[in-house]
Amino acid sequence: MSDTPFGFGLPPEEPENGDEGRKKGNQGGQGGPNPFGFGGFGLPGGAGGQGGADNPFAAMFGSMNPADLGAAFQQLGQMLSYEGGPVNWDMAKDIARRTVSQGTPDGVKDTSVGIAEKSAVGEAMRLADHWLDDVTSLPSGATTAVAWSRAEWVEATLPVWKELVDPVAERVGAAMGSVLPEEMQAMAGPLLGMMRSMGGAMFGQQIGQAVGVLAGEVVGSTDIGLPLGPAGKAALLPLNIEGLGKDLSVPSEEVRLYLALREAAHARLFAHVPWLRSHLFGAVEGYARGIKVDTSKLEDVVGQIDPTNPEQLQEALQGGMFQPQDTPEQKAALARLETALALVEGWVDAVVHAAAKPRLTSADAMRETMRRRRASGGPAEQTFATLIGLELRPRRLRDASRLWASLTDARGVDGRDGLWAHPDMLPTASDLDDPDGFVHREHLDFSEIDKMLGEAAEQREQGEQGDGEGEGKK
């Protein structure tokens, strides 16, 4: 599990070659040492800029011509006037779009999706759904197949990011405001309002940057194991698929088809397991409820900060003054989320391999490519580590895939997929350690239990009606 959700954490190490090293380490605005991304907000000298990373106000206002300075003041005014939730999502969207427009580190810029690419994606998704019909009892979950640019991926997925991140940001923001004594809170109403606006901007800046970077890596709407896109839409990003396949000795058509199989398999699972989405998102909310910030450290730092000294505030931020503390509640929620995501990814891995192996010569190579991508810190790990402090363990994904494959051999496709009928029927983390024990263990049939409960309720109603009729005769 990452110790730095939302980028809170330890101060950066001092570069060996002084200012020059600092400049090199902060180019591009991606993954720099600044935990909140201060000095950014799309302004000159900020994210993607060349200077002022150590002093947010110098970054905003230094070395500007009058036009730039006016624009900076205007954007600062918009930031301070924000009165929404814990995250300034307008800012997050703007920064994500700007990050996308800068292109990826390899110099590839975002482009609009052409007609030929849209047609190729649509055909790949249709064929993938047809192949999956043979290996899973879950019907198709996508009514539409779409091809997105990176910018379109940002637009389509931000509503789900909001649902994921807001609970965590809300808890951290509440902890930040609670460190002031009550009498000071009563006197500092306007200041607290400004702090909330600044906090929303800080979260918006970092989340926007994380989502913008992620848009340059993902190949579909379900790369992180969650349904980020609109319901019923299976989406692929042709530009990123091309980037993934360029270093592989695999025909581009097979790369696209294999990724279409993964996207379509995710779509089936989330469309026909109605409790799954709320289960995963509920684990994130459970993590948020468990956040407990070290308020004693916050009180010490807040009492010593001179609000007129931005450099001192920046040093406090970089010193980890908002480091959330691990709690049993958080650990339990993260374990529940990690196991659920491993089961989702393991099921997808198993059914996609079953569909691809007889038909694609590159099935084994593509499977290993996707596994290595996760093991080396792919989009899922990076994003969850940044936003909610979760790192997926690839070992769990492999264990889950083996378990689902064993279930297929022992119980058949229907028996395997039937476990998704109820969350209590799914394997647990301990079952991933002993897959054979789970495969051969007798499981309760919840459909039979529901039937028994229904019959009992019906008999009870009939008995009550009979009693009522007897009373009437009396």
Side-chain angles (χ1 to χ4, degrees):
M1 187 182 75
S2 168
D3 291 329
T4 56
F6 286 104
F8 303 149
L10 299 175
E13 296 182 2
E14 189 69 19
E16 294 181 0
N17 54 345
D19 292 338
E20 289 299 316
R22 184 179 295 111
K23 289 178 181 178
K24 291 178 181 178
N26 283 295
Q27 287 179 351
Q30 298 177 8
N34 184 339
F36 285 107
F38 258 152
F41 312 119
L43 301 173
Q50 296 296 322
D54 289 335
N55 185 331
F57 296 98
M60 288 183 181
F61 307 127
S63 303
M64 290 186 184
N65 60 41
D68 289 338
L69 187 60
F73 274 117
Q74 181 180 10
Q75 192 159 0
L76 180 61
Q78 293 173 349
M79 180 178 67
L80 295 178
S81 64
Y82 174 71
E83 297 179 351
V87 179
N88 188 330
W89 286 103
D90 290 337
M91 177 173 287
K93 177 179 175 180
D94 182 56
I95 289 174
R97 293 293 300 263
R98 293 186 187 208
T99 302
V100 165
S101 68
Q102 293 170 3
T104 49
D106 58 2
V108 177
K109 299 280 189 178
D110 191 26
T111 58
S112 300
V113 180
I115 296 177
E117 292 171 318
K118 291 180 180 179
S119 176
V121 166
E123 182 58 33
M125 293 302 305
R126 283 190 292 273
L127 187 56
D129 252 338
H130 177 65
W131 288 359
L132 287 173
D133 285 338
D134 295 335
V135 295
T136 175
S137 61
L138 299 179
S140 175
T143 57
T144 307
V146 294
W148 284 340
S149 66
R150 294 166 179 170
E152 288 172 327
W153 182 89
V154 168
E155 295 278 355
T157 62
L158 270 179
V160 180
W161 288 119
K162 184 177 188 298
E163 189 175 351
L164 276 170
V165 174
D166 269 352
V168 183
E170 183 72 49
R171 289 289 295 141
V172 174
M176 290 166 56
S178 68
V179 301
L180 293 177
E182 290 185 9
E183 60 272 16
M184 187 177 294
Q185 291 185 23
M187 297 171 59
L191 177 60
L192 288 176
M194 186 180 73
M195 287 178 62
R196 282 192 292 269
S197 297
M198 290 291 289
M202 292 182 210
F203 283 117
Q205 197 275 346
Q206 179 159 350
I207 293 163
Q209 191 171 337
V211 172
V213 172
L214 191 62
E217 302 175 356
V218 294
V219 294
S221 70
T222 55
D223 272 29
I224 68 168
L226 289 172
L228 295 179
K233 283 191 177 181
L236 294 178
L237 282 72
L239 181 62
N240 292 354
I241 292 175
E242 181 183 351
L244 175 66
K246 69 179 181 181
D247 296 326
L248 303 176
S249 300
V250 177
S252 59
E253 295 80 5
E254 291 201 12
V255 174
R256 180 171 54 244
L257 188 49
Y258 189 89
L259 297 176
L261 281 167
R262 289 183 52 82
E263 180 77 3
H266 278 104
R268 289 183 181 226
L269 197 58
F270 285 108
H272 299 292
V273 182
W275 56 264
L276 182 57
R277 187 182 190 276
S278 60
H279 180 76
L280 292 169
F281 283 58
V284 177
E285 293 181 6
Y287 170 85
R289 287 193 298 271
I291 287 179
K292 297 187 185 299
V293 178
D294 188 348
T295 55
S296 62
K297 183 177 181 180
L298 272 176
E299 289 170 356
D300 291 341
V301 174
V302 170
Q304 299 171 10
I305 287 179
D306 177 2
T308 65
N309 186 342
E311 290 184 355
Q312 187 182 13
L313 177 60
Q314 184 69 5
E315 290 173 2
L317 291 172
Q318 291 183 341
M321 65 181 287
F322 300 143
Q323 178 68 55
Q325 304 298 302
D326 282 340
T327 64
E329 295 86 357
Q330 279 180 292
K331 291 178 179 178
L334 287 175
R336 187 166 66 253
L337 179 60
E338 183 182 66
T339 300
L341 286 171
L343 291 173
V344 169
E345 284 297 289
W347 183 87
V348 168
D349 181 81
V351 300
V352 166
H353 188 68
K357 180 67 173 174
R359 300 175 174 95
L360 297 178
T361 57
S362 62
D364 290 332
M366 286 301 304
R367 186 186 205 185
E368 190 58 30
T369 294
M370 300 308 293
R371 285 180 167 181
R372 288 180 180 178
R373 192 167 180 246
R374 293 192 297 258
S376 62
E381 287 188 271
Q382 295 168 3
T383 304
F384 274 98
T386 299
L387 299 185
I388 63 173
L390 172 71
E391 289 183 355
L392 298 178
R393 290 176 294 177
R395 181 179 64 84
R396 298 281 82 182
L397 301 179
R398 289 179 182 267
D399 291 344
S401 180
R402 283 195 292 269
L403 187 147
W404 288 117
S406 297
L407 281 168
T408 307
D409 294 337
R411 305 186 185 186
V413 169
D414 291 342
R416 178 201 65 198
D417 294 346
L419 294 178
W420 290 105
H422 194 283
D424 291 342
M425 296 176 68
L426 287 179
T428 63
S430 60
D431 292 325
L432 295 180
D433 296 327
D434 182 22
D436 290 337
F438 178 86
V439 168
H440 299 292
R441 186 188 313 153
E442 290 297 328
H443 284 267
L444 292 174
D445 187 340
F446 279 81
S447 63
E448 289 298 320
I449 292 177
D450 290 340
K451 181 179 178 181
M452 292 169 58
L453 291 174
E455 291 175 351
E458 187 176 327
Q459 291 174 0
R460 187 166 57 251
E461 289 178 2
Q462 292 175 351
E464 291 174 354
Q465 291 175 359
D467 291 342
E469 291 175 359
E471 290 293 335
K473 292 178 181 179
K474 291 179 181 179

